[in-house]
Amino acid sequence: MSKVALITGINGQDGKYLLQFLLDKGYIVHGFARKKPALTSENEQQNVFYHENDLSDFSSVLSLFQEIAPDEVYNLAAQSNVKTSFERPEYTSNINSLGTLRLLEAIRILGLQEKTRFFQASSGEIFGKTTELQRTEETPFYPCNPYAVSKIYAHWININYRESYGIFACNGVLFNHESPHRPESFVTRKITASVARIKKGLQEELILGNLDSKRDWGFAGDYVKGMWMTLQQNEPDDYIFATGQAHTVRDFVNFAFKEVGIKIKWEGKGPSEIGKDASCGRIVVRVSPDFYRPVESSISVGSPAKAYNKMGWEPETSFEELVRMMVRNDMGLSYK
Ligand code: NDP
Ligand code: GDP
């Protein structure tokens, strides 16, 4: 018999990849979404069931769990934007922290502890300003934005429900992962979409915030595989999913422009820094403090060693391949 999975946040970047991954494995998938998408493939029409729900509404969560009693739950729904979390801290906590509690409560109240396994999308942001350079599962948390604080509540309530009620509850501490499905509110997609528009003559300049900021960027398709692997283990546990390598925003810009045949020449510092097309001197990148954060996480690199040693998970897509995939998608070209 097919396993039944529930994905919250199924319309988001990871939801799209996880849905495809689980369908390929023969799962029946229920999608928890604020809006049902138009069904696309025949496979989806037969094996995917969408439920219009909101994580702020416990009664709708409870009745859904009662109806489908899922074997596996992947909690991907979140207000996932760090900048927005400074503007909407209360809403961010309601969805990210209490939303997770509502799902765990549904499992507990309905007595689904023996049946339902639970994956929580935790975040590398929980380490924030921690001084340890390579973050492991033992690194202390030091969140520096409301999003990270909300994710720490979810992380710990998940562990608490595992220890208190025996729920197979796991955290995947996900470092940044990107794809052609990433919205332009995140820097990687903003860069690749802008580079494509600049190359096509549809945009003059790319305006960014902190170019020195470093992130550990992986490919979303690799990370959803890790989420699934987490729930197939004999014991519940928490794992970091990361590449172990950091790149600056400036590196990302250089690689993205290189993909469309433009070499960037940088001049100036801080908000005055500009990036010119080296072949003609035209300014194509500028900095604006409008995109600076009130507080910035320090260099954020995760160690995927535990996920590799215990589950054999490792990132399969390099930084260069990721940038190429995103730029080619935005140029309307094929990519693997
Ligand atoms: P997205 O922002 O792309 O997707 C999140 C989804 O959550 C959206 O589909 C959104 O639905 C849904 N959602 C938001 N609010 C609610 C609500 N009140 N009720 C129900 N659904 C809601 O995130 P990603 O796919 O990139 O990330 C998946 C998870 O992993 C998130 O929890 C994120 O915080 C976490 N994570 C992601 C990282 C990354 O780099 N991508 C890094 C670390 C953690 P709608 O379409 O209706 O807006
Ligand atoms: P985050 O790591 O979840 O906050 O992902 P983002 O893609 O939003 O930001 C990654 C890094 O890029 C952060 O350090 C930002 O400060 C930096 N950054 C620089 N310019 C921009 C920009 O224009 N937009 C965004 N979103 N981030 C930017």
Side-chain angles (χ1 to χ4, degrees):
M1 238 196 16
S2 299
K3 276 194 187 172
V4 174
L6 172 67
I7 305 176
T8 74
I10 194 166
N11 293 333
Q13 170 189 258
D14 293 3
K16 291 189 177 89
Y17 283 99
L18 184 61
L19 168 62
Q20 214 43 62
F21 183 89
L22 294 179
L23 287 178
D24 291 346
K25 293 242 170 259
Y27 279 66
I28 299 290
V29 180
H30 290 264
F32 186 109
R34 286 186 291 184
K35 273 241 165 305
K36 287 184 192 179
L39 290 181
T40 46
S41 67
E42 200 177 310
N43 189 10
E44 283 193 30
Q45 288 175 35
Q46 284 167 4
N47 298 309
V48 189
F49 302 89
Y50 287 97
H51 306 268
E52 278 192 4
N53 271 330
D54 196 300
L55 265 193
S56 61
D57 175 10
F58 179 59
S59 58
S60 71
V61 170
L62 194 64
S63 23
L64 179 60
F65 274 67
Q66 198 156 29
E67 183 190 332
I68 66 172
D71 298 299
E72 295 174 10
V73 176
Y74 296 87
N75 183 28
L76 309 184
Q79 191 302 96
S80 67
N81 193 287
V82 169
K83 188 158 190 293
T84 307
S85 79
F86 282 105
E87 290 145 16
R88 303 190 67 192
E90 185 188 339
Y91 175 74
T92 301
S93 305
N94 188 7
I95 303 312
N96 298 3
S97 310
L98 297 181
T100 306
L101 174 67
R102 292 180 186 110
L103 296 166
L104 290 164
E105 272 291 88
I107 295 174
R108 183 187 71 80
I109 290 169
L110 296 169
L112 291 170
Q113 291 87 325
E114 296 299 317
K115 179 174 169 69
T116 304
R117 295 184 169 202
F118 186 83
F119 177 89
Q120 168 61 16
S122 189
S123 166
E125 281 286 333
I126 61 181
F127 300 119
K129 294 211 294 183
T130 301
T131 46
E132 282 179 31
L133 277 187
Q134 274 250 339
R135 284 92 196 265
T136 71
E137 287 77 2
E138 313 309 322
T139 302
F141 303 156
Y142 187 165
C144 58
N145 54 65
Y147 166 79
V149 175
S150 73
K151 284 285 185 181
I152 289 181
Y153 176 90
H155 187 100
W156 272 109
I157 201 69
N158 203 23
I159 294 173
N160 182 249
Y161 271 52
R162 173 166 86 212
E163 292 176 351
S164 305
Y165 305 115
I167 296 176
F168 196 107
C170 308
N171 289 298
V173 183
L174 310 167
F175 279 66
N176 294 48
H177 48 282
E178 318 292 313
S179 77
H181 291 302
R182 195 71 146 150
E184 284 191 47
S185 47
F186 290 87
V187 76
T188 54
R189 186 71 196 290
K190 176 175 172 180
I191 294 169
T192 62
S194 299
V195 164
R197 287 193 291 263
I198 290 169
K199 178 69 182 175
K200 290 175 181 172
L202 301 172
Q203 182 176 324
E204 293 282 312
E205 294 172 351
L206 163 62
I207 310 203
L208 293 167
N210 185 355
L211 295 172
D212 293 313
S213 182
K214 278 190 167 182
R215 286 289 183 274
D216 178 330
W217 279 300
F219 170 50
D222 294 342
Y223 288 47
V224 302
K225 182 176 177 190
M227 297 175 188
W228 175 78
M229 290 170 87
T230 301
L231 293 193
Q232 312 314 309
Q233 304 306 304
N234 291 332
E235 297 297 329
D237 207 344
D238 308 316
Y239 299 93
I240 285 179
F241 294 100
T243 70
Q245 285 172 7
H247 292 88
T248 61
V249 170
R250 195 184 289 96
D251 287 341
F252 201 105
V253 172
N254 283 331
F255 274 98
F257 273 108
K258 186 169 159 234
E259 200 50 43
V260 297
I262 297 175
K263 184 173 164 27
I264 299 295
K265 184 165 178 266
W266 297 99
E267 289 174 8
K269 283 233 171 317
S272 313
E273 186 163 1
I274 49 172
K276 290 179 171 173
D277 178 339
S279 69
C280 61
R282 182 165 78 90
I283 296 174
V284 284
V285 186
R286 284 189 197 274
V287 172
S288 163
D290 288 350
F291 296 106
Y292 287 174
R293 299 273 163 86
V295 187
E296 189 69 81
S297 309
S298 55
I299 300 169
S300 180
V301 187
S303 165
K306 180 177 171 186
Y308 180 70
N309 292 332
K310 289 190 81 174
M311 306 194 293
W313 179 87
E314 58 185 333
E316 291 164 27
T317 310
S318 70
F319 178 73
E320 290 81 355
E321 286 168 334
L322 173 66
V323 181
R324 182 170 308 127
M325 176 196 305
M326 293 178 70
V327 173
R328 287 186 70 83
N329 169 71
D330 285 322
M331 289 294 292
L333 302 169
S334 64
Y335 58 92
K336 114 175 149 75

